[in-house]
PDB file of all heavy atoms in Angstrom:
ATOM      1  N   TYR A  21      -0.122  14.170 -22.208  1.00 92.00           N
ATOM      2  CA  TYR A  21      -1.555  14.500 -22.009  1.00 92.00           C
ATOM      3  C   TYR A  21      -2.422  13.229 -22.110  1.00 92.00           C
ATOM      4  O   TYR A  21      -2.082  12.315 -22.866  1.00 92.00           O
ATOM      5  CB  TYR A  21      -1.977  15.522 -23.072  1.00 92.00           C
ATOM      6  CG  TYR A  21      -3.456  15.540 -23.411  1.00 92.00           C
ATOM      7  CD1 TYR A  21      -4.343  16.187 -22.586  1.00 92.00           C
ATOM      8  CD2 TYR A  21      -3.897  14.966 -24.630  1.00 92.00           C
ATOM      9  CE1 TYR A  21      -5.670  16.203 -22.864  1.00 92.00           C
ATOM     10  CE2 TYR A  21      -5.263  15.039 -24.925  1.00 92.00           C
ATOM     11  CZ  TYR A  21      -6.159  15.629 -24.062  1.00 92.00           C
ATOM     12  OH  TYR A  21      -7.463  15.684 -24.382  1.00 92.00           O
ATOM     13  N   GLU A  22      -3.441  13.164 -21.323  1.00 90.00           N
ATOM     14  CA  GLU A  22      -4.398  12.086 -21.509  1.00 90.00           C
ATOM     15  C   GLU A  22      -5.821  12.590 -21.159  1.00 90.00           C
ATOM     16  O   GLU A  22      -5.984  13.497 -20.277  1.00 90.00           O
ATOM     17  CB  GLU A  22      -4.087  10.959 -20.506  1.00 90.00           C
ATOM     18  CG  GLU A  22      -4.997   9.771 -20.667  1.00 90.00           C
ATOM     19  CD  GLU A  22      -4.585   8.573 -19.766  1.00 90.00           C
ATOM     20  OE1 GLU A  22      -3.455   8.028 -20.085  1.00 90.00           O
ATOM     21  OE2 GLU A  22      -5.309   8.235 -18.835  1.00 90.00           O
ATOM     22  N   LYS A  23      -6.775  12.119 -21.891  1.00 85.00           N
ATOM     23  CA  LYS A  23      -8.151  12.568 -21.628  1.00 85.00           C
ATOM     24  C   LYS A  23      -8.940  11.400 -21.111  1.00 85.00           C
ATOM     25  O   LYS A  23      -9.048  10.342 -21.692  1.00 85.00           O
ATOM     26  CB  LYS A  23      -8.874  13.066 -22.954  1.00 85.00           C
ATOM     27  CG  LYS A  23     -10.266  13.425 -22.704  1.00 85.00           C
ATOM     28  CD  LYS A  23     -10.872  14.242 -23.842  1.00 85.00           C
ATOM     29  CE  LYS A  23     -12.277  14.679 -23.492  1.00 85.00           C
ATOM     30  NZ  LYS A  23     -12.839  15.646 -24.436  1.00 85.00           N
ATOM     31  N   GLY A  24      -9.516  11.642 -19.898  1.00 77.00           N
ATOM     32  CA  GLY A  24     -10.426  10.662 -19.323  1.00 77.00           C
ATOM     33  C   GLY A  24     -11.864  10.946 -19.763  1.00 77.00           C
ATOM     34  O   GLY A  24     -12.114  11.976 -20.412  1.00 77.00           O
ATOM     35  N   ARG A  25     -12.705  10.058 -19.460  1.00 74.00           N
ATOM     36  CA  ARG A  25     -14.136  10.255 -19.800  1.00 74.00           C
ATOM     37  C   ARG A  25     -15.019   9.998 -18.580  1.00 74.00           C
ATOM     38  O   ARG A  25     -15.898   9.113 -18.579  1.00 74.00           O
ATOM     39  CB  ARG A  25     -14.538   9.292 -20.970  1.00 74.00           C
ATOM     40  CG  ARG A  25     -13.623   9.488 -22.199  1.00 74.00           C
ATOM     41  CD  ARG A  25     -14.103   8.664 -23.354  1.00 74.00           C
ATOM     42  NE  ARG A  25     -13.180   8.761 -24.475  1.00 74.00           N
ATOM     43  CZ  ARG A  25     -13.181   9.781 -25.334  1.00 74.00           C
ATOM     44  NH1 ARG A  25     -14.016  10.784 -25.175  1.00 74.00           N
ATOM     45  NH2 ARG A  25     -12.277   9.801 -26.343  1.00 74.00           N
ATOM     46  N   LEU A  26     -14.752  10.769 -17.551  1.00 66.00           N
ATOM     47  CA  LEU A  26     -15.436  10.515 -16.252  1.00 66.00           C
ATOM     48  C   LEU A  26     -16.876  11.087 -16.211  1.00 66.00           C
ATOM     49  O   LEU A  26     -17.710  10.615 -15.534  1.00 66.00           O
ATOM     50  CB  LEU A  26     -14.633  11.210 -15.156  1.00 66.00           C
ATOM     51  CG  LEU A  26     -13.143  10.790 -15.000  1.00 66.00           C
ATOM     52  CD1 LEU A  26     -12.555  11.410 -13.790  1.00 66.00           C
ATOM     53  CD2 LEU A  26     -13.064   9.260 -14.906  1.00 66.00           C
ATOM     54  N   GLY A  27     -17.069  12.111 -17.050  1.00 62.00           N
ATOM     55  CA  GLY A  27     -18.430  12.684 -17.069  1.00 62.00           C
ATOM     56  C   GLY A  27     -18.686  13.713 -15.977  1.00 62.00           C
ATOM     57  O   GLY A  27     -17.957  13.790 -14.968  1.00 62.00           O
ATOM     58  N   ALA A  28     -19.736  14.509 -16.155  1.00 62.00           N
ATOM     59  CA  ALA A  28     -20.013  15.698 -15.287  1.00 62.00           C
ATOM     60  C   ALA A  28     -20.348  15.175 -13.825  1.00 62.00           C
ATOM     61  O   ALA A  28     -20.168  15.948 -12.912  1.00 62.00           O
ATOM     62  CB  ALA A  28     -21.165  16.479 -15.828  1.00 62.00           C
ATOM     63  N   GLY A  29     -20.851  13.988 -13.689  1.00 63.00           N
ATOM     64  CA  GLY A  29     -21.222  13.513 -12.335  1.00 63.00           C
ATOM     65  C   GLY A  29     -20.102  12.875 -11.545  1.00 63.00           C
ATOM     66  O   GLY A  29     -20.343  12.306 -10.458  1.00 63.00           O
ATOM     67  N   ALA A  30     -18.881  12.857 -12.078  1.00 62.00           N
ATOM     68  CA  ALA A  30     -17.812  12.080 -11.407  1.00 62.00           C
ATOM     69  C   ALA A  30     -17.479  12.757 -10.038  1.00 62.00           C
ATOM     70  O   ALA A  30     -17.490  13.947  -9.885  1.00 62.00           O
ATOM     71  CB  ALA A  30     -16.579  12.146 -12.318  1.00 62.00           C
ATOM     72  N   SER A  31     -17.149  11.872  -9.113  1.00 69.00           N
ATOM     73  CA  SER A  31     -16.807  12.309  -7.737  1.00 69.00           C
ATOM     74  C   SER A  31     -15.389  12.886  -7.709  1.00 69.00           C
ATOM     75  O   SER A  31     -14.591  12.592  -8.596  1.00 69.00           O
ATOM     76  CB  SER A  31     -16.939  11.210  -6.754  1.00 69.00           C
ATOM     77  OG  SER A  31     -15.972  10.208  -7.011  1.00 69.00           O
ATOM     78  N   GLU A  32     -15.121  13.640  -6.672  1.00 73.00           N
ATOM     79  CA  GLU A  32     -13.747  14.184  -6.512  1.00 73.00           C
ATOM     80  C   GLU A  32     -12.743  13.016  -6.369  1.00 73.00           C
ATOM     81  O   GLU A  32     -11.621  13.081  -6.838  1.00 73.00           O
ATOM     82  CB  GLU A  32     -13.683  15.076  -5.306  1.00 73.00           C
ATOM     83  CG  GLU A  32     -14.473  16.394  -5.458  1.00 73.00           C
ATOM     84  CD  GLU A  32     -14.521  17.167  -4.212  1.00 73.00           C
ATOM     85  OE1 GLU A  32     -13.499  17.790  -3.843  1.00 73.00           O
ATOM     86  OE2 GLU A  32     -15.583  17.189  -3.540  1.00 73.00           O
ATOM     87  N   ALA A  33     -13.165  12.022  -5.596  1.00 72.00           N
ATOM     88  CA  ALA A  33     -12.280  10.889  -5.357  1.00 72.00           C
ATOM     89  C   ALA A  33     -11.936  10.108  -6.649  1.00 72.00           C
ATOM     90  O   ALA A  33     -10.785   9.778  -6.902  1.00 72.00           O
ATOM     91  CB  ALA A  33     -12.913   9.922  -4.376  1.00 72.00           C
ATOM     92  N   LEU A  34     -12.884   9.947  -7.515  1.00 76.00           N
ATOM     93  CA  LEU A  34     -12.704   9.246  -8.751  1.00 76.00           C
ATOM     94  C   LEU A  34     -11.801  10.044  -9.632  1.00 76.00           C
ATOM     95  O   LEU A  34     -10.889   9.505 -10.331  1.00 76.00           O
ATOM     96  CB  LEU A  34     -14.045   9.006  -9.456  1.00 76.00           C
ATOM     97  CG  LEU A  34     -13.990   8.235 -10.791  1.00 76.00           C
ATOM     98  CD1 LEU A  34     -13.427   6.831 -10.611  1.00 76.00           C
ATOM     99  CD2 LEU A  34     -15.376   8.142 -11.429  1.00 76.00           C
ATOM    100  N   ALA A  35     -12.027  11.369  -9.688  1.00 78.00           N
ATOM    101  CA  ALA A  35     -11.147  12.243 -10.504  1.00 78.00           C
ATOM    102  C   ALA A  35      -9.732  12.212 -10.034  1.00 78.00           C
ATOM    103  O   ALA A  35      -8.810  12.134 -10.849  1.00 78.00           O
ATOM    104  CB  ALA A  35     -11.759  13.629 -10.489  1.00 78.00           C
ATOM    105  N   ARG A  36      -9.567  12.271  -8.740  1.00 82.00           N
ATOM    106  CA  ARG A  36      -8.175  12.237  -8.129  1.00 82.00           C
ATOM    107  C   ARG A  36      -7.487  10.879  -8.455  1.00 82.00           C
ATOM    108  O   ARG A  36      -6.350  10.870  -8.842  1.00 82.00           O
ATOM    109  CB  ARG A  36      -8.264  12.436  -6.627  1.00 82.00           C
ATOM    110  CG  ARG A  36      -6.900  12.492  -5.967  1.00 82.00           C
ATOM    111  CD  ARG A  36      -7.058  12.935  -4.513  1.00 82.00           C
ATOM    112  NE  ARG A  36      -7.947  12.064  -3.725  1.00 82.00           N
ATOM    113  CZ  ARG A  36      -9.161  12.446  -3.324  1.00 82.00           C
ATOM    114  NH1 ARG A  36      -9.635  13.656  -3.604  1.00 82.00           N
ATOM    115  NH2 ARG A  36      -9.891  11.598  -2.664  1.00 82.00           N
ATOM    116  N   GLU A  37      -8.206   9.793  -8.312  1.00 82.00           N
ATOM    117  CA  GLU A  37      -7.586   8.474  -8.573  1.00 82.00           C
ATOM    118  C   GLU A  37      -7.182   8.382 -10.018  1.00 82.00           C
ATOM    119  O   GLU A  37      -6.102   7.847 -10.338  1.00 82.00           O
ATOM    120  CB  GLU A  37      -8.619   7.399  -8.254  1.00 82.00           C
ATOM    121  CG  GLU A  37      -8.094   5.979  -8.341  1.00 82.00           C
ATOM    122  CD  GLU A  37      -9.055   4.940  -7.943  1.00 82.00           C
ATOM    123  OE1 GLU A  37     -10.114   5.291  -7.276  1.00 82.00           O
ATOM    124  OE2 GLU A  37      -8.794   3.770  -8.173  1.00 82.00           O
ATOM    125  N   ALA A  38      -7.991   8.840 -10.983  1.00 85.00           N
ATOM    126  CA  ALA A  38      -7.696   8.802 -12.386  1.00 85.00           C
ATOM    127  C   ALA A  38      -6.524   9.666 -12.731  1.00 85.00           C
ATOM    128  O   ALA A  38      -5.674   9.315 -13.505  1.00 85.00           O
ATOM    129  CB  ALA A  38      -8.921   9.198 -13.252  1.00 85.00           C
ATOM    130  N   ARG A  39      -6.445  10.820 -12.095  1.00 89.00           N
ATOM    131  CA  ARG A  39      -5.359  11.765 -12.368  1.00 89.00           C
ATOM    132  C   ARG A  39      -4.007  11.184 -11.924  1.00 89.00           C
ATOM    133  O   ARG A  39      -3.025  11.255 -12.649  1.00 89.00           O
ATOM    134  CB  ARG A  39      -5.625  13.090 -11.639  1.00 89.00           C
ATOM    135  CG  ARG A  39      -4.590  14.162 -11.842  1.00 89.00           C
ATOM    136  CD  ARG A  39      -5.022  15.492 -11.297  1.00 89.00           C
ATOM    137  NE  ARG A  39      -5.269  15.545  -9.881  1.00 89.00           N
ATOM    138  CZ  ARG A  39      -6.460  15.598  -9.305  1.00 89.00           C
ATOM    139  NH1 ARG A  39      -7.588  15.550 -10.074  1.00 89.00           N
ATOM    140  NH2 ARG A  39      -6.586  15.630  -8.013  1.00 89.00           N
ATOM    141  N   TYR A  40      -3.957  10.616 -10.708  1.00 89.00           N
ATOM    142  CA  TYR A  40      -2.670  10.123 -10.208  1.00 89.00           C
ATOM    143  C   TYR A  40      -2.296   8.830 -10.929  1.00 89.00           C
ATOM    144  O   TYR A  40      -1.102   8.504 -11.053  1.00 89.00           O
ATOM    145  CB  TYR A  40      -2.770   9.901  -8.690  1.00 89.00           C
ATOM    146  CG  TYR A  40      -2.525  11.172  -7.927  1.00 89.00           C
ATOM    147  CD1 TYR A  40      -3.579  11.843  -7.314  1.00 89.00           C
ATOM    148  CD2 TYR A  40      -1.268  11.715  -7.799  1.00 89.00           C
ATOM    149  CE1 TYR A  40      -3.369  13.039  -6.669  1.00 89.00           C
ATOM    150  CE2 TYR A  40      -1.002  12.885  -7.140  1.00 89.00           C
ATOM    151  CZ  TYR A  40      -2.091  13.570  -6.553  1.00 89.00           C
ATOM    152  OH  TYR A  40      -1.871  14.750  -5.870  1.00 89.00           O
ATOM    153  N   LYS A  41      -3.241   8.109 -11.384  1.00 90.00           N
ATOM    154  CA  LYS A  41      -2.917   6.906 -12.171  1.00 90.00           C
ATOM    155  C   LYS A  41      -2.189   7.357 -13.465  1.00 90.00           C
ATOM    156  O   LYS A  41      -1.192   6.734 -13.880  1.00 90.00           O
ATOM    157  CB  LYS A  41      -4.187   6.174 -12.551  1.00 90.00           C
ATOM    158  CG  LYS A  41      -3.930   4.871 -13.370  1.00 90.00           C
ATOM    159  CD  LYS A  41      -5.261   4.135 -13.706  1.00 90.00           C
ATOM    160  CE  LYS A  41      -4.985   2.921 -14.513  1.00 90.00           C
ATOM    161  NZ  LYS A  41      -6.261   2.194 -14.830  1.00 90.00           N
ATOM    162  N   PHE A  42      -2.681   8.387 -14.114  1.00 92.00           N
ATOM    163  CA  PHE A  42      -2.027   8.930 -15.332  1.00 92.00           C
ATOM    164  C   PHE A  42      -0.656   9.465 -14.915  1.00 92.00           C
ATOM    165  O   PHE A  42       0.354   9.201 -15.655  1.00 92.00           O
ATOM    166  CB  PHE A  42      -2.893  10.046 -15.885  1.00 92.00           C
ATOM    167  CG  PHE A  42      -2.168  11.007 -16.769  1.00 92.00           C
ATOM    168  CD1 PHE A  42      -1.708  10.613 -18.033  1.00 92.00           C
ATOM    169  CD2 PHE A  42      -1.950  12.329 -16.361  1.00 92.00           C
ATOM    170  CE1 PHE A  42      -0.965  11.487 -18.843  1.00 92.00           C
ATOM    171  CE2 PHE A  42      -1.252  13.233 -17.149  1.00 92.00           C
ATOM    172  CZ  PHE A  42      -0.774  12.814 -18.438  1.00 92.00           C
ATOM    173  N   LEU A  43      -0.508  10.276 -13.876  1.00 95.00           N
ATOM    174  CA  LEU A  43       0.756  10.842 -13.524  1.00 95.00           C
ATOM    175  C   LEU A  43       1.774   9.779 -13.188  1.00 95.00           C
ATOM    176  O   LEU A  43       2.960   9.921 -13.566  1.00 95.00           O
ATOM    177  CB  LEU A  43       0.548  11.793 -12.305  1.00 95.00           C
ATOM    178  CG  LEU A  43      -0.230  13.083 -12.564  1.00 95.00           C
ATOM    179  CD1 LEU A  43      -0.466  13.806 -11.287  1.00 95.00           C
ATOM    180  CD2 LEU A  43       0.505  13.982 -13.544  1.00 95.00           C
ATOM    181  N   ARG A  44       1.407   8.726 -12.539  1.00 94.00           N
ATOM    182  CA  ARG A  44       2.336   7.666 -12.203  1.00 94.00           C
ATOM    183  C   ARG A  44       2.789   6.902 -13.497  1.00 94.00           C
ATOM    184  O   ARG A  44       3.915   6.425 -13.569  1.00 94.00           O
ATOM    185  CB  ARG A  44       1.757   6.728 -11.182  1.00 94.00           C
ATOM    186  CG  ARG A  44       1.724   7.424  -9.779  1.00 94.00           C
ATOM    187  CD  ARG A  44       1.394   6.347  -8.675  1.00 94.00           C
ATOM    188  NE  ARG A  44       1.607   6.982  -7.343  1.00 94.00           N
ATOM    189  CZ  ARG A  44       0.685   7.480  -6.594  1.00 94.00           C
ATOM    190  NH1 ARG A  44      -0.576   7.492  -6.997  1.00 94.00           N
ATOM    191  NH2 ARG A  44       0.945   8.051  -5.430  1.00 94.00           N
ATOM    192  N   LYS A  45       1.887   6.811 -14.412  1.00 95.00           N
ATOM    193  CA  LYS A  45       2.235   6.142 -15.664  1.00 95.00           C
ATOM    194  C   LYS A  45       3.267   6.985 -16.456  1.00 95.00           C
ATOM    195  O   LYS A  45       4.233   6.424 -16.958  1.00 95.00           O
ATOM    196  CB  LYS A  45       0.930   5.942 -16.529  1.00 95.00           C
ATOM    197  CG  LYS A  45       1.243   5.255 -17.868  1.00 95.00           C
ATOM    198  CD  LYS A  45      -0.049   4.957 -18.619  1.00 95.00           C
ATOM    199  CE  LYS A  45      -0.727   6.226 -19.073  1.00 95.00           C
ATOM    200  NZ  LYS A  45      -1.938   5.984 -19.859  1.00 95.00           N
ATOM    201  N   VAL A  46       3.086   8.277 -16.446  1.00 96.00           N
ATOM    202  CA  VAL A  46       4.050   9.116 -17.126  1.00 96.00           C
ATOM    203  C   VAL A  46       5.411   9.086 -16.375  1.00 96.00           C
ATOM    204  O   VAL A  46       6.475   9.027 -17.039  1.00 96.00           O
ATOM    205  CB  VAL A  46       3.538  10.622 -17.165  1.00 96.00           C
ATOM    206  CG1 VAL A  46       4.605  11.528 -17.773  1.00 96.00           C
ATOM    207  CG2 VAL A  46       2.264  10.702 -17.973  1.00 96.00           C
ATOM    208  N   LYS A  47       5.357   9.082 -15.051  1.00 96.00           N
ATOM    209  CA  LYS A  47       6.606   8.949 -14.244  1.00 96.00           C
ATOM    210  C   LYS A  47       7.344   7.715 -14.589  1.00 96.00           C
ATOM    211  O   LYS A  47       8.592   7.729 -14.768  1.00 96.00           O
ATOM    212  CB  LYS A  47       6.254   8.981 -12.813  1.00 96.00           C
ATOM    213  CG  LYS A  47       7.438   8.725 -11.824  1.00 96.00           C
ATOM    214  CD  LYS A  47       6.999   8.721 -10.409  1.00 96.00           C
ATOM    215  CE  LYS A  47       8.175   8.321  -9.457  1.00 96.00           C
ATOM    216  NZ  LYS A  47       8.495   6.890  -9.635  1.00 96.00           N
ATOM    217  N   GLU A  48       6.646   6.575 -14.716  1.00 95.00           N
ATOM    218  CA  GLU A  48       7.296   5.314 -15.078  1.00 95.00           C
ATOM    219  C   GLU A  48       7.869   5.352 -16.448  1.00 95.00           C
ATOM    220  O   GLU A  48       8.999   4.869 -16.678  1.00 95.00           O
ATOM    221  CB  GLU A  48       6.273   4.206 -14.938  1.00 95.00           C
ATOM    222  CG  GLU A  48       6.846   2.830 -15.263  1.00 95.00           C
ATOM    223  CD  GLU A  48       5.841   1.717 -15.078  1.00 95.00           C
ATOM    224  OE1 GLU A  48       4.717   1.951 -14.565  1.00 95.00           O
ATOM    225  OE2 GLU A  48       6.128   0.536 -15.430  1.00 95.00           O
ATOM    226  N   ASN A  49       7.102   5.924 -17.385  1.00 95.00           N
ATOM    227  CA  ASN A  49       7.584   5.993 -18.779  1.00 95.00           C
ATOM    228  C   ASN A  49       8.874   6.819 -18.934  1.00 95.00           C
ATOM    229  O   ASN A  49       9.730   6.500 -19.773  1.00 95.00           O
ATOM    230  CB  ASN A  49       6.534   6.632 -19.684  1.00 95.00           C
ATOM    231  CG  ASN A  49       5.337   5.713 -19.880  1.00 95.00           C
ATOM    232  OD1 ASN A  49       5.411   4.484 -19.581  1.00 95.00           O
ATOM    233  ND2 ASN A  49       4.207   6.224 -20.341  1.00 95.00           N
ATOM    234  N   TYR A  50       9.038   7.871 -18.137  1.00 96.00           N
ATOM    235  CA  TYR A  50      10.212   8.701 -18.227  1.00 96.00           C
ATOM    236  C   TYR A  50      11.311   8.325 -17.245  1.00 96.00           C
ATOM    237  O   TYR A  50      12.405   8.901 -17.246  1.00 96.00           O
ATOM    238  CB  TYR A  50       9.849  10.168 -17.979  1.00 96.00           C
ATOM    239  CG  TYR A  50       9.273  10.847 -19.218  1.00 96.00           C
ATOM    240  CD1 TYR A  50       7.935  10.745 -19.565  1.00 96.00           C
ATOM    241  CD2 TYR A  50      10.097  11.588 -20.070  1.00 96.00           C
ATOM    242  CE1 TYR A  50       7.428  11.382 -20.670  1.00 96.00           C
ATOM    243  CE2 TYR A  50       9.555  12.265 -21.180  1.00 96.00           C
ATOM    244  CZ  TYR A  50       8.192  12.120 -21.490  1.00 96.00           C
ATOM    245  OH  TYR A  50       7.732  12.726 -22.600  1.00 96.00           O
ATOM    246  N   GLY A  51      11.015   7.312 -16.371  1.00 95.00           N
ATOM    247  CA  GLY A  51      11.983   6.982 -15.325  1.00 95.00           C
ATOM    248  C   GLY A  51      12.228   8.168 -14.397  1.00 95.00           C
ATOM    249  O   GLY A  51      13.376   8.336 -13.954  1.00 95.00           O
ATOM    250  N   ALA A  52      11.241   8.951 -14.119  1.00 96.00           N
ATOM    251  CA  ALA A  52      11.396  10.138 -13.350  1.00 96.00           C
ATOM    252  C   ALA A  52      11.559   9.846 -11.865  1.00 96.00           C
ATOM    253  O   ALA A  52      11.171   8.755 -11.360  1.00 96.00           O
ATOM    254  CB  ALA A  52      10.210  11.084 -13.559  1.00 96.00           C
ATOM    255  N   ASP A  53      12.139  10.766 -11.129  1.00 95.00           N
ATOM    256  CA  ASP A  53      12.351  10.635  -9.686  1.00 95.00           C
ATOM    257  C   ASP A  53      11.089  10.811  -8.898  1.00 95.00           C
ATOM    258  O   ASP A  53      10.896  10.113  -7.900  1.00 95.00           O
ATOM    259  CB  ASP A  53      13.431  11.637  -9.222  1.00 95.00           C
ATOM    260  CG  ASP A  53      14.782  11.424  -9.878  1.00 95.00           C
ATOM    261  OD1 ASP A  53      15.452  10.450  -9.477  1.00 95.00           O
ATOM    262  OD2 ASP A  53      15.147  12.236 -10.804  1.00 95.00           O
ATOM    263  N   ALA A  54      10.224  11.719  -9.346  1.00 95.00           N
ATOM    264  CA  ALA A  54       8.997  11.956  -8.576  1.00 95.00           C
ATOM    265  C   ALA A  54       8.056  12.800  -9.432  1.00 95.00           C
ATOM    266  O   ALA A  54       8.357  13.295 -10.511  1.00 95.00           O
ATOM    267  CB  ALA A  54       9.303  12.684  -7.258  1.00 95.00           C
ATOM    268  N   ILE A  55       6.827  12.900  -8.879  1.00 96.00           N
ATOM    269  CA  ILE A  55       5.769  13.828  -9.424  1.00 96.00           C
ATOM    270  C   ILE A  55       5.759  15.077  -8.521  1.00 96.00           C
ATOM    271  O   ILE A  55       5.835  14.976  -7.331  1.00 96.00           O
ATOM    272  CB  ILE A  55       4.407  13.088  -9.384  1.00 96.00           C
ATOM    273  CG1 ILE A  55       4.446  11.882 -10.284  1.00 96.00           C
ATOM    274  CG2 ILE A  55       3.331  14.041  -9.792  1.00 96.00           C
ATOM    275  CD1 ILE A  55       3.286  10.887  -9.965  1.00 96.00           C
ATOM    276  N   ILE A  56       5.627  16.194  -9.187  1.00 97.00           N
ATOM    277  CA  ILE A  56       5.509  17.490  -8.407  1.00 97.00           C
ATOM    278  C   ILE A  56       4.150  18.091  -8.646  1.00 97.00           C
ATOM    279  O   ILE A  56       3.758  18.271  -9.822  1.00 97.00           O
ATOM    280  CB  ILE A  56       6.603  18.489  -8.827  1.00 97.00           C
ATOM    281  CG1 ILE A  56       8.025  17.881  -8.652  1.00 97.00           C
ATOM    282  CG2 ILE A  56       6.495  19.761  -7.964  1.00 97.00           C
ATOM    283  CD1 ILE A  56       9.137  18.821  -9.008  1.00 97.00           C
ATOM    284  N   THR A  57       3.445  18.387  -7.611  1.00 96.00           N
ATOM    285  CA  THR A  57       2.096  18.969  -7.730  1.00 96.00           C
ATOM    286  C   THR A  57       2.109  20.361  -7.084  1.00 96.00           C
ATOM    287  O   THR A  57       3.020  20.710  -6.282  1.00 96.00           O
ATOM    288  CB  THR A  57       1.051  18.109  -7.034  1.00 96.00           C
ATOM    289  OG1 THR A  57       1.158  18.236  -5.590  1.00 96.00           O
ATOM    290  CG2 THR A  57       1.166  16.709  -7.449  1.00 96.00           C
ATOM    291  N   ALA A  58       1.087  21.184  -7.362  1.00 95.00           N
ATOM    292  CA  ALA A  58       1.055  22.557  -6.962  1.00 95.00           C
ATOM    293  C   ALA A  58       0.190  22.782  -5.717  1.00 95.00           C
ATOM    294  O   ALA A  58      -0.309  23.881  -5.494  1.00 95.00           O
ATOM    295  CB  ALA A  58       0.543  23.416  -8.146  1.00 95.00           C
ATOM    296  N   HIS A  59      -0.043  21.748  -4.915  1.00 94.00           N
ATOM    297  CA  HIS A  59      -0.829  21.940  -3.707  1.00 94.00           C
ATOM    298  C   HIS A  59      -0.173  23.002  -2.803  1.00 94.00           C
ATOM    299  O   HIS A  59       1.061  22.970  -2.612  1.00 94.00           O
ATOM    300  CB  HIS A  59      -0.961  20.586  -2.945  1.00 94.00           C
ATOM    301  CG  HIS A  59      -1.820  19.635  -3.661  1.00 94.00           C
ATOM    302  ND1 HIS A  59      -1.286  18.596  -4.374  1.00 94.00           N
ATOM    303  CD2 HIS A  59      -3.171  19.564  -3.797  1.00 94.00           C
ATOM    304  CE1 HIS A  59      -2.335  17.864  -4.908  1.00 94.00           C
ATOM    305  NE2 HIS A  59      -3.423  18.432  -4.542  1.00 94.00           N
ATOM    306  N   HIS A  60      -0.966  23.856  -2.263  1.00 94.00           N
ATOM    307  CA  HIS A  60      -0.456  24.960  -1.406  1.00 94.00           C
ATOM    308  C   HIS A  60      -1.058  24.956  -0.037  1.00 94.00           C
ATOM    309  O   HIS A  60      -1.797  24.028   0.303  1.00 94.00           O
ATOM    310  CB  HIS A  60      -0.681  26.325  -2.120  1.00 94.00           C
ATOM    311  CG  HIS A  60      -2.107  26.454  -2.627  1.00 94.00           C
ATOM    312  ND1 HIS A  60      -3.192  26.754  -1.840  1.00 94.00           N
ATOM    313  CD2 HIS A  60      -2.610  26.346  -3.902  1.00 94.00           C
ATOM    314  CE1 HIS A  60      -4.271  26.851  -2.537  1.00 94.00           C
ATOM    315  NE2 HIS A  60      -3.942  26.591  -3.811  1.00 94.00           N
ATOM    316  N   GLN A  61      -0.812  26.015   0.752  1.00 93.00           N
ATOM    317  CA  GLN A  61      -1.208  26.031   2.144  1.00 93.00           C
ATOM    318  C   GLN A  61      -2.745  25.985   2.313  1.00 93.00           C
ATOM    319  O   GLN A  61      -3.263  25.332   3.193  1.00 93.00           O
ATOM    320  CB  GLN A  61      -0.701  27.268   2.828  1.00 93.00           C
ATOM    321  CG  GLN A  61      -0.788  27.238   4.354  1.00 93.00           C
ATOM    322  CD  GLN A  61      -0.217  28.533   4.949  1.00 93.00           C
ATOM    323  OE1 GLN A  61      -0.880  29.535   5.102  1.00 93.00           O
ATOM    324  NE2 GLN A  61       1.071  28.461   5.309  1.00 93.00           N
TER     325      GLN A  61
END
């Protein structure tokens, strides 16, 4: 888990960039094969 401090006015792009930065850091720490997300049709 990680908590960002983007604030209520943060853009969607900024939120997405911060989220994937965190996910890739966790992936590196665990030596994982990939990140899995729940994006749907």
Side-chain angles (χ1 to χ4, degrees):
Y21 156 76
E22 183 173 295
K23 178 165 184 173
R25 303 185 184 280
L26 303 184
S31 68
E32 294 174 74
L34 182 60
R36 182 171 56 253
E37 184 175 350
R39 181 169 64 254
Y40 279 105
K41 182 179 180 181
F42 159 70
L43 291 172
R44 287 193 168 97
K45 181 174 67 175
V46 176
K47 173 182 174 291
E48 182 178 351
N49 290 344
Y50 278 85
D53 296 285
I55 297 162
I56 305 181
T57 73
H59 291 102
H60 48 76
Q61 193 179 87

